[in-house]
Amino acid sequence: MDRMTDTTVDTPLAALLTNKRRVSALKALGVVTVADALTYYPFRVTDPVPVRVLAEARFGEKMACAVDVRALRVTPMNARRGYRLEVLVDDAPTASARAVAPRTASLVFFSHRKSYVDWMASRLRAGLQLVISGEPSTFNDRLQFTHPDILTVAPAEPPAAEPQLAFGEPAVQPQPAPRLRYDVDSVAQGLARATRPRPVYHANARISSEHIHETIDQVLRMLAGEDPLAAAAPGTADSAQFGEQFTLGEHARARLAERIPDVLPEPVREAKQLMHRAQAFCAIHEPQSVADFKRAIGTMRYEEAFVCQCALLMARNRAATSNAYPCADVQLRDGYIERLPFALTNGQREVIDAIGIDMGRAHPMQRLLQGEVGSGKTVVAVAAMLQAVGSGHQAVLVAPTQVLAEQHFQSISASVGDLVPVHLLTGGMKLAARRKVLAAAASGEPCIVVATHAAFSKSFQAPNLALAVIDEQHRFGVEQRETLRAKSERDPHLLVMTATPIPRTAAMTWFGDLDISWLTELPGGRKPIRTFVIPEGDARVMSDMFWHIRRRIDAGERAYIICPRIEPSDTEDGGGEADAPELLSDAALGDTGEPRPPLHAVVEIAQRLRSLPQFNGVRLCTLTGRDDDATKAQVMADFESGETPVMVATTVVEVGVDVPQASCITIFDADRYGLSQLHQLRGRVGRGGTDSWAFLVSRAEPGTIAQERLEVIAGSLDGAEIASRDLELRGAGDVLGDAQSGGKSSLKLLRVVQDARMIADARARAQELLAHDPGLEGHVQLAGAVLDFTRGNEQYLTSN
């Protein structure tokens, strides 16, 4: 294959790069194709490098300088394997022009590969001008640059044959000058390249930021039809020096514009004064200035906002034209509300009425119900499902965990089981029971099915399905929502619920295809949860906390103890798929480079608590995602009855678990969780109207970002405020979960809080565009990007 002419944005890097170790390292970063490489954005650019003469060198500060080569030599390193190239240079012409005394310096390169050192030496000769960029140091009282970036300068006239000098050796007979390829045409051009800002990428131990930059530069060259290996060493295809990066000319940039077509419509791009996307990629990965880099990042950020909003609006428009079962009979629903032992809040009544109107129509409702923990979302969901069943149809409620599904099944069966059939469908059911539920759903009989992810399996069919309720929306992706639509003969009405507090700007970004309702009013009798940050290293405070829990247990209450892992041997990502907490990255915590202590585990903490005098005579139970269904059910029953009043658990209890007697929750390693998840966990207590406490046990140092996070949640019970702070301190994908953010990196630049105005502008312009071109028939590239976003993958780039 002609790699330059056949390269497209869909080409795998493995087909382009001969260095397989680098291909593997990039794959570990999620960079597999050319498109992945171009959208692997640097997180910053370096400051411009100052131009100085050698006499002005400052140790510890990078500099650029024009120098002349005087001599060079290659020697083996005696102390270790490998070879050393030393190049003697001076800056006499530059220094004299500035009336400064000239100085000499050594440029030193090390490698265990003789081929690399020989290749580097072959590019240099005495009398050749160089532009160097690097950090100066001293060795044996001589100024030295170790592995500097170098650019060779083409001589003004073809060089005459000159002797090649080595240190301490006599001159040799003149030899024909080698045929050299020069990096720049003049010193001025070289200094302009050496001093410009350089992108810095998130890297790891397997690949450096410089090598990431080098690879992206190579794929840009290939897309532009240029030879990426023109300056590489023979036999070392991917080893070109970082300082020798190719600069794209106008002709190459024009070819790039053909191979990387714009996604944004031309009128939108012109109105917003944005770059062409090919131009933006060049300015991001080969910035000429910091201002160009920022403008390019702004261009790609707006593109993400525009694609996202187009996708959401088109999904909304499709739903508005599809057919649903109209559910107008509210008699069963109203009878259920009258039987409730408590009065609905005003917010609950308003949302139930709005849902009732939506479900009475012949096109599917699409509504997101967001409410604080304990605000009564489940009552609203049951009322909606009874409206569907009362109208002669089926309803399904999908919960993210086995424990939550079973709790929903028990509570719904207890309240409406005498009115309508209620079935439970989970992946762990016995085959006979599972077949019975599947048969009931497939028959089309009016009923309520409470399910886990089993509802998304091909075996579950409900031809009369009129309403799908998804609990804890952030645990399910858009694709899973769409799967439920294929279960019925018509598109079901859709009600998605979440207690994860999401700011309105974030909701507009992620759930723009849904109507959004908020339940902000808590039912009567709920008391504020008192929250305290407990330093784990303070033994006295820890002891007082455990004695407080013991007093609450003696008063007939319950306590949760939460740990991020099941066993000490488990990985940092949690004890199992069902338990893995959304732990913060080291970068989000303000990584100091110090190793972090291991996370606490359920097994370890349960054993520790049993040995404490505070829990003498108190029975403890444990609950994790690894427990089988029967064990989970028994553990929950014993906890609710008070037989085992202390539960040591993973975050499997995060959502939906409702034990009114629970008044205390202690969360170990609280500094490693996101704020929204801590708020969710805190909502497990105080549900019975009693005083309640949340203890956030932390090993975070005072003054750190991690400690600042805990102070935010300790000082606020407002979910919206907490979510906004969480989004500011973290990323949208971290807060909402990878599944909801359309894959790990679907939105790589868009910031839901800071870019609220941009998102609103993109939405307005997308609405205007879709009003004239609903199917985007006139915007092929945009249509492809929207399709990729809808599928939830990362491949935004499209090519002809």
Side-chain angles (χ1 to χ4, degrees):
M1 179 181 80
D2 187 333
R3 292 192 295 179
M4 278 71 75
T5 58
D6 293 345
T7 301
T8 71
V9 291
D10 297 317
T11 303
L13 293 182
L16 303 177
L17 306 181
T18 59
N19 188 331
K20 300 308 176 186
R21 292 180 63 184
R22 181 170 300 185
V23 171
S24 175
L26 289 167
K27 184 177 181 180
L29 296 175
V31 179
V32 178
T33 67
V34 170
D36 297 331
L38 296 184
T39 56
Y40 192 79
Y41 299 114
F43 63 91
R44 69 178 179 91
V45 288
T46 61
D47 293 327
V49 178
V51 178
R52 295 174 180 151
V53 293
L54 294 177
E56 299 170 337
R58 302 174 188 174
F59 301 129
E61 293 185 16
K62 200 169 184 179
M63 60 173 281
C65 181
V67 296
D68 290 349
V69 176
R70 295 307 175 199
L72 62 133
R73 67 179 174 187
V74 175
T75 57
M77 293 185 289
N78 295 326
R80 52 180 177 160
R81 291 178 56 194
Y83 298 86
R84 181 176 189 267
L85 168 64
E86 184 174 0
V87 184
L88 182 66
V89 299
D90 67 41
D91 63 346
T94 308
S96 61
R98 296 181 55 177
V100 178
R103 284 194 64 179
T104 61
S106 293
L107 314 181
V108 181
F109 303 88
F110 304 96
S111 178
H112 67 277
R113 291 180 301 171
K114 183 70 159 53
S115 60
Y116 167 78
V117 174
D118 289 344
W119 166 73
M120 179 66 77
S122 72
R123 302 180 60 223
L124 308 173
R125 59 177 174 77
L128 184 67
Q129 274 192 309
L130 303 176
V131 171
I132 65 171
S133 176
E135 191 174 302
S137 60
T138 58
F139 181 74
N140 289 338
D141 295 327
R142 174 178 284 172
L143 189 65
Q144 177 173 293
F145 293 82
T146 304
H147 281 279
D149 301 331
I150 66 170
L151 297 169
T152 56
V153 181
E157 297 178 359
E162 294 186 25
Q164 188 81 350
L165 300 180
F167 303 143
E169 295 183 3
V172 296
Q173 291 299 315
Q175 299 292 328
R179 295 175 60 85
L180 298 177
R181 290 185 60 134
Y182 301 103
D183 298 314
V184 291
D185 295 328
S186 66
V187 169
Q189 186 184 61
L191 288 173
R193 281 183 56 181
T195 59
R196 72 187 183 194
R198 287 185 178 165
V200 182
Y201 302 83
H202 286 293
N204 58 29
R206 297 182 62 189
I207 186 168
S208 66
S209 173
E210 289 85 353
H211 284 155
I212 294 171
H213 183 199
E214 174 187 303
T215 300
I216 296 173
D217 179 82
Q218 287 184 18
V219 299
L220 277 170
R221 283 182 73 161
M222 291 179 181
L223 281 172
E226 300 289 341
D227 182 0
L229 308 178
T236 56
D238 298 321
S239 59
Q241 286 295 290
F242 181 57
E244 301 157 22
Q245 298 305 311
F246 178 77
T247 301
L248 294 172
E250 291 303 317
H251 186 53
R253 289 174 187 264
R255 284 198 298 271
L256 270 184
E258 296 174 2
R259 296 194 177 185
I260 309 177
D262 234 337
V263 166
L264 290 173
E266 190 68 18
V268 173
R269 189 166 69 83
E270 290 181 354
K272 298 295 295 180
Q273 297 183 323
L274 303 174
M275 294 179 171
H276 187 286
R277 82 186 327 242
Q279 179 189 4
F281 282 135
C282 292
I284 288 171
H285 298 297
E286 291 289 348
Q288 301 298 313
S289 67
V290 174
D292 276 353
F293 175 82
K294 290 181 176 178
R295 185 183 170 209
I297 287 290
T299 293
M300 299 311 298
R301 183 172 285 142
Y302 190 88
E303 180 188 292
E304 287 187 357
F306 195 83
V307 169
C308 168
Q309 293 306 310
C310 280
L312 293 171
L313 290 169
M314 290 177 74
R316 190 184 185 94
N317 293 341
R318 282 194 301 271
T321 59
S322 59
N323 295 320
Y325 291 113
C327 302
D329 191 332
V330 296
Q331 184 175 349
L332 194 60
R333 180 200 74 179
D334 292 346
Y336 160 73
I337 294 173
E338 290 176 5
R339 291 170 49 179
L340 290 172
F342 52 84
L344 296 179
T345 65
N346 292 332
Q348 286 174 314
R349 290 187 178 278
E350 290 175 4
V351 173
I352 288 173
D353 289 343
I355 289 173
I357 294 171
D358 286 349
M359 290 181 61
R361 300 188 176 115
H363 59 81
M365 168 187 74
Q366 295 194 108
R367 185 171 293 275
L368 169 69
L369 177 58
Q370 178 178 324
E372 286 285 354
V373 174
S375 59
K377 298 183 299 298
T378 304
V379 171
V380 174
V382 172
M385 289 191 289
L386 288 176
Q387 182 171 338
V389 177
S391 301
H393 303 293
Q394 297 170 307
V396 61
L397 187 155
V398 186
T401 67
Q402 176 88 22
V403 170
L404 181 52
E406 290 176 350
Q407 285 218 333
H408 277 317
F409 173 69
Q410 291 167 4
S411 63
I412 294 172
S413 297
S415 59
V416 303
D418 59 329
L419 302 176
V420 300
V422 182
H423 304 290
L424 176 65
L425 178 65
T426 69
M429 294 175 65
K430 291 183 178 180
L431 185 58
R434 181 183 175 87
R435 283 177 174 172
K436 185 177 179 181
V437 175
L438 292 175
S443 71
E445 71 162 356
C447 64
I448 293 174
V449 178
V450 181
T452 57
H453 285 73
F456 302 118
S457 68
K458 293 182 179 179
S459 60
F460 176 71
Q461 296 295 325
N464 197 18
L465 183 63
L467 173 66
V469 180
I470 297 181
D471 198 7
E472 286 310 319
Q473 163 65 22
H474 74 294
R475 300 293 185 92
F476 301 101
V478 176
E479 186 175 344
Q480 289 172 309
R481 278 198 260 154
E482 295 294 328
T483 300
L484 281 179
R485 293 199 170 110
K487 302 293 184 182
S488 176
E489 293 179 357
R490 300 189 189 182
D491 284 355
H493 300 285
L494 186 65
L495 175 64
V496 294
M497 306 190 299
T498 182
T500 301
I502 304 168
R504 289 177 183 263
T505 52
M508 181 176 67
T509 305
W510 294 109
F511 310 116
D513 58 332
L514 308 177
D515 295 312
I516 302 174
S517 298
W518 276 266
L519 286 179
T520 57
E521 184 182 357
L522 294 181
R526 291 295 298 271
K527 295 182 179 180
I529 303 169
R530 284 172 273 190
T531 307
F532 300 91
V533 179
I534 308 294
E536 188 173 348
D538 192 326
R540 184 186 62 80
V541 176
M542 289 286 289
S543 177
D544 289 347
M545 175 188 72
F546 288 133
W547 279 120
H548 174 82
I549 293 173
R550 175 58 186 263
R551 287 192 291 270
R552 302 323 307 162
I553 291 170
D554 290 342
E557 296 167 11
R558 314 282 186 272
Y560 296 103
I561 311 291
I562 306 299
C563 305
R565 291 158 68 180
I566 298 177
E567 297 179 2
S569 59
D570 290 328
T571 65
E572 290 287 288
D573 294 328
E577 185 177 348
D579 302 83
E582 297 163 13
L583 298 179
L584 303 183
S585 64
D586 288 344
L589 289 165
D591 187 18
T592 61
E594 296 294 324
R596 299 191 181 279
L599 298 171
H600 289 299
V602 168
V603 173
E604 163 215 347
I605 292 298
Q607 184 177 358
R608 175 176 159 189
L609 295 183
R610 290 188 180 103
S611 67
L612 293 177
Q614 291 94 328
F615 296 98
N616 186 31
V618 175
R619 290 190 61 193
L620 280 67
C621 62
T622 62
L623 183 68
T624 75
R626 290 184 188 167
D627 296 327
D628 58 42
D629 295 347
T631 301
K632 289 177 182 176
Q634 187 62 51
V635 168
M636 287 303 304
D638 291 346
F639 182 64
E640 290 181 41
S641 69
E643 187 173 341
T644 53
V646 177
M647 177 186 287
V648 186
T650 59
T651 52
V652 72
V653 302
E654 176 188 352
V655 292
V657 174
D658 187 359
V659 179
Q661 299 91 341
S663 63
C664 296
I665 184 167
T666 298
I667 305 171
F668 278 90
D669 295 304
D671 50 301
R672 300 294 300 275
Y673 292 85
L675 300 187
S676 292
Q677 190 171 28
L678 287 175
H679 184 62
Q680 280 270 57
L681 288 166
R682 177 170 61 179
R684 296 306 102 210
V685 299
R687 304 173 75 86
T690 61
D691 291 331
S692 54
W693 295 264
F695 301 107
L696 310 179
V697 179
S698 165
R699 289 180 279 192
E701 294 294 329
T704 60
I705 295 176
Q707 182 69 16
E708 178 187 351
R709 292 175 177 281
L710 296 182
E711 296 301 334
V712 168
I713 196 139
S716 176
L717 293 171
D718 185 336
E721 177 188 343
I722 291 169
S724 292
R725 290 291 290 142
D726 209 10
L727 279 169
E728 290 171 12
L729 296 169
R730 300 169 67 191
D734 285 335
V735 174
L736 299 176
D738 286 344
Q740 186 51 50
S741 60
K744 278 194 173 180
S745 308
S746 61
L747 291 186
K748 301 184 178 185
L749 297 173
L750 195 64
R751 304 162 303 183
V752 223
V753 174
Q754 298 97 314
D755 297 328
R757 290 186 179 178
M758 177 185 291
I759 293 167
D761 180 272
R763 188 173 183 84
R765 294 180 188 275
Q767 284 175 324
E768 183 179 349
L769 175 67
L770 292 172
H772 296 93
D773 187 1
L776 296 179
E777 284 84 0
H779 301 84
V780 177
Q781 304 301 333
L782 176 59
V786 167
L787 180 61
D788 287 337
F789 179 87
T790 304
R791 288 172 176 166
N793 62 35
E794 301 174 17
Q795 300 174 7
Y796 279 74
L797 288 167
T798 55
S799 62
N800 292 328

